[in-house]
């Protein structure tokens, strides 16, 4: 039995989580001052990220207990729509999605493959952390104006928030049943995810 929970990770590492979810990129979206170059860089790189994230979630499903299928399958269904939505947003902006990943995006995608080699409790926690990062990041700046409100709503809406709560519950269940010996690895993955989230915002912000 392990006493580690998702909530305890957030309280143990508040600074890392703050840096993952609060960034000038998002504040400038809220103020409407982000440059098209910065925003479009985020859009295309995040599309490429989401393609690999979908593969990540599919691999988490493959090792999840059957009781956890409903929530993860719901997530995969939402990702199906999200990919179509990203393609539509890119088309509106005349952006080419057939480009190569920037280093930070590639590093994050590589890291998800590494997480997929770890045990289910670690993967379930990582899935929760990755989704919570966007759920909070897009909500924290406050109401955004067009066109950014559409992006903020995608990850900040009530249904997505509910989905993230279910992911937390499932991760907590899996962690609870795991050995104390897993604690160091869980903490390390949480901190890596937080650092990669921060780096991803910075990557887009740097694209002047
Ligand atoms: C970088 N993290 C990044 N992109 C996303 N679309 C998500 C998380 C999804 O929550």
């Amino acid at each position: 039995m392990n006493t580690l929970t998702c909530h305890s990770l957030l309280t143990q590492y508040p600074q890392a989580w703050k840096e993952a979810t609060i960034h000038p990129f998002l504040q400038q979206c809220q103020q409407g001052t982000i440059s098209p170059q910065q925003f479009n860089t985020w859009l295309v790189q995040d599309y490429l990220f989401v393609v690999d994230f979908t593969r990540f979630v599919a691999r988490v499903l493959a090792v999840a207990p059957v009781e956890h299928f409903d929530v993860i399958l719901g997530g995969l269904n939402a990702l199906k729509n999200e990919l179509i939505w990203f393609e539509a947003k890119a088309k509106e902006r005349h952006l080419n999605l057939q480009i190569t990943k920037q280093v930070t995006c590639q590093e994050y995608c590589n890291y998800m493959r590494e997480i997929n080699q770890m045990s289910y409790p670690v993967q379930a926690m990582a899935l929760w952390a990755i989704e919570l990062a966007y759920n909070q990041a897009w909500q924290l700046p406050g109401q955004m104006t067009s066109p950014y409100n559409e992006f903020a709503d995608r990850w900040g809406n009530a249904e997505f928030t509910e989905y993230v709560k279910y992911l937390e519950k499932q991760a907590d269940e899996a962690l609870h049943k795991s050995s104390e010996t897993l604690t160091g690895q869980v903490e390390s993955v949480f901190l890596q995810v937080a650092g990669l989230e921060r780096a991803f915002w910075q990557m887009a912000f740097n694209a002047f």
Side-chain angles (χ1 to χ4, degrees), residues 5-14 17 128 132 136 190:
T5 63
C6 290
H7 184 75
S8 72
L9 290 165
L10 295 172
T11 55
Q12 205 179 337
Y13 302 109
W17 196 250
W128 159 76
L132 181 72
Q136 294 191 339
F190 177 79

Side-chain angles (χ1 to χ4, degrees), residues 42 46 49-50 53 82 86 108 130-135 155 160 197 200:
W42 168 79
D46 209 52
F49 172 87
V50 171
F53 178 62
E82 189 165 305
F86 263 112
Y108 204 162
I130 295 169
E131 295 289 39
L132 181 72
Y134 261 38
N135 179 238
W155 290 281
F160 192 79
E197 285 292 330
F200 206 94

Side-chain angles (χ1 to χ4, degrees), residues 24-26 28-29 31-39 148 205:
F25 180 92
L26 292 152
Q28 293 192 16
C29 286
Q31 286 157 13
T33 55
I34 197 80
S35 76
Q37 175 77 357
Q38 289 169 307
F39 191 77
Y148 306 113
F205 197 65

Side-chain angles (χ1 to χ4, degrees), residues 93-202:
R93 291 167 175 264
H94 311 289
L95 303 174
N96 179 14
L97 293 174
Q98 261 70 52
I99 60 158
T100 54
K101 293 185 183 101
Q102 289 199 22
V103 172
T104 298
C105 181
Q106 186 63 58
E107 279 174 359
Y108 204 162
C109 293
N110 292 347
Y111 192 61
M112 287 193 287
R113 289 303 297 259
E114 276 185 49
I115 299 171
N116 282 140
Q117 319 279 325
M118 301 178 193
S119 60
Y120 176 67
V122 185
Q123 296 192 49
M125 183 284 298
L127 172 55
W128 159 76
I130 295 169
E131 295 289 39
L132 181 72
Y134 261 38
N135 179 238
Q136 294 191 339
W138 283 103
Q139 280 187 83
L140 286 172
Q143 183 64 47
M144 295 194 187
T145 51
S146 178
Y148 306 113
N149 56 338
E150 185 183 343
F151 294 83
D153 290 347
R154 169 153 288 272
W155 290 281
N157 73 71
E159 201 188 330
F160 192 79
T161 304
E162 191 70 10
Y163 164 62
V164 176
K165 288 209 181 96
Y166 281 116
L167 290 177
E168 176 175 353
K169 195 167 160 275
Q170 295 194 166
D172 280 350
E173 269 173 34
L175 288 169
H176 185 72
K177 291 182 195 154
S178 77
S179 157
E180 292 279 358
T181 58
L182 211 64
T183 302
Q185 190 180 45
V186 173
E187 289 172 352
S188 154
V189 170
F190 177 79
L191 288 173
Q192 287 284 333
V193 166
L196 286 161
E197 285 292 330
R198 193 198 114 76
F200 206 94
W201 295 124
Q202 193 58 42

